[in-house]
Amino acid sequence: MTPDFLDGYLRRLGVAEEALGTPGAEGLFALQRAHLERIAYENIDIQLGRPPGIDPELSVRRFAAGRGGYCFHLNGAFALLLESLGYEVTRHVGAVNSDAASRAVRGDHLALTVRVGGAEYWVDAGLGDMGPYEPLPLRAGTYEQNGFTYSLERLDPLEGEGPGWSFFASAGGASRMNFRDAPATTADFEGMHAWLSTNEESPFVRVFAVFRRDAGGADCLRGKVLTRLEHGKQAHERVVSGPEELLAVLGGLFELDLGDLTPADRAALWARVEQVHEVWLGRRRAGAEAARG
């Protein structure tokens, strides 16, 4: 049986421990699907200037209370849950790159691999709109999932670093994620988390973002812009009209419990969202002008 503090996490996922049986690929796939559907990728508390720590037990309790997080929270807690259920999990230092040619592994992503039933899988609940809906076999190849195309390739070592893997996505906010074969621990990500969650140059500080995956695609909120991705392409886009609608979208579409936010917190969050939206509009206008020459 899992420790008591994980029970709320399983309830949030809508998964009964008794239904999972012994560790196997079927249970692993079901858990990743549930995680992506039920627990949003979000940076609300980072936007409010009070980033949560990445201790996995704290993240588990946070999820049980109805909140989400980013990769260090999502994959850190997921690894702990899988281990408690009897899966063999390895954590790896990774990096998300918008440059598809980059082999960098800066440590801004926590990647997971799981060995079960004599097979090894790459498992990830923390890539927002970029990651696959189900685990991928840890072997080089191209994979199709509901209109999305993904691929895995071996990553040659750079000087002073060992070999690893590169994941490529057909859609989403970034195109490549690299990770090293060597095992890692939560402590390996503390320094990068401190920078990502507090530095004004960090994308997590600069941009308010919430993502949720499902079988057909992804819902993506960046600033005021709410986008739906389906079959690897943008299906529709609209702008959230005001603070009341923002809270309704976060609590409804993204299933986030924001009962802990004070009126001042909610006002501050909307102010941040408006600020991000104005920057986004400026960039869109600049792009349109550049296209016109």
Side-chain angles (χ1 to χ4, degrees):
M1 296 292 291
T2 59
D4 290 343
F5 77 93
L6 290 166
D7 290 347
Y9 189 5
L10 284 169
R11 285 195 296 273
R12 177 85 187 279
L13 294 178
V15 175
E17 182 179 354
E18 297 77 13
L20 291 171
T22 57
E26 183 177 352
L28 178 65
F29 278 49
L31 286 163
Q32 176 164 317
R33 291 193 300 264
H35 210 293
L36 290 167
E37 290 176 358
R38 300 291 186 88
I39 302 181
Y41 182 114
E42 53 101 340
N43 65 342
I44 293 171
D45 284 334
I46 290 175
Q47 292 291 300
L48 293 173
R50 53 184 192 218
I54 61 171
D55 175 82
E57 287 197 22
L58 293 178
S59 296
V60 166
R61 298 182 192 282
R62 178 179 173 84
F63 300 163
R67 295 295 294 274
Y70 71 164
C71 70
F72 297 147
H73 308 108
L74 296 165
N75 283 340
F78 196 29
L80 182 61
L81 176 64
L82 291 172
E83 287 172 333
S84 75
L85 294 170
Y87 290 90
E88 182 183 340
V89 183
T90 304
R91 298 156 183 80
H92 307 267
V93 173
V96 176
N97 300 284
S98 57
D99 179 2
S102 176
R103 293 189 293 152
V105 183
R106 298 175 302 276
D108 58 22
H109 187 72
L110 163 58
L112 306 177
T113 56
V114 176
R115 182 176 293 278
V116 61
E120 194 166 9
Y121 297 91
W122 169 57
V123 174
D124 208 302
L127 278 172
D129 57 341
M130 176 185 171
Y133 182 57
E134 296 180 328
L136 296 182
L138 192 63
R139 59 173 181 266
T142 300
Y143 304 90
E144 297 284 340
Q145 290 185 5
N146 302 309
F148 292 81
T149 302
Y150 307 109
S151 62
L152 283 171
E153 295 179 3
R154 284 298 280 167
L155 177 66
D156 294 332
L158 296 172
E159 183 177 353
E161 298 179 345
W165 291 89
S166 290
F167 162 74
F168 298 87
S170 62
S175 59
R176 179 172 184 168
M177 190 277 290
N178 302 323
F179 66 94
R180 297 295 176 194
D181 287 342
T185 66
T186 300
D188 294 318
F189 302 97
E190 291 284 0
M192 183 58 77
H193 170 62
W195 188 90
L196 288 173
S197 61
T198 62
N199 193 288
E200 289 297 324
E201 296 302 312
S202 164
F204 296 99
V205 174
R206 288 189 287 106
V207 180
F208 169 65
V210 186
F211 305 106
R212 186 193 65 86
R213 283 297 314 271
D214 57 38
D219 297 301
C220 315
L221 179 63
R222 293 182 177 90
K224 292 184 187 180
V225 183
L226 180 62
T227 305
R228 174 68 183 175
L229 297 177
E230 291 181 354
H231 307 296
K233 298 178 181 179
Q234 180 176 306
H236 52 78
E237 176 183 284
R238 68 181 179 87
V239 175
V240 174
S241 61
E244 294 80 10
E245 186 183 9
L246 174 67
L247 292 172
V249 167
L250 293 174
L253 180 63
F254 294 105
E255 300 184 16
L256 292 169
D257 185 341
L258 303 179
D260 62 325
L261 298 189
T262 66
D265 291 334
R266 295 174 186 225
L269 180 62
W270 179 248
R272 290 287 298 179
V273 169
E274 287 199 300
Q275 179 184 10
V276 168
H277 187 68
E278 289 305 311
V279 172
W280 174 81
L281 283 176
R283 289 174 177 168
R284 173 172 276 194
R285 285 192 292 265
E289 291 171 1
R292 288 196 298 267

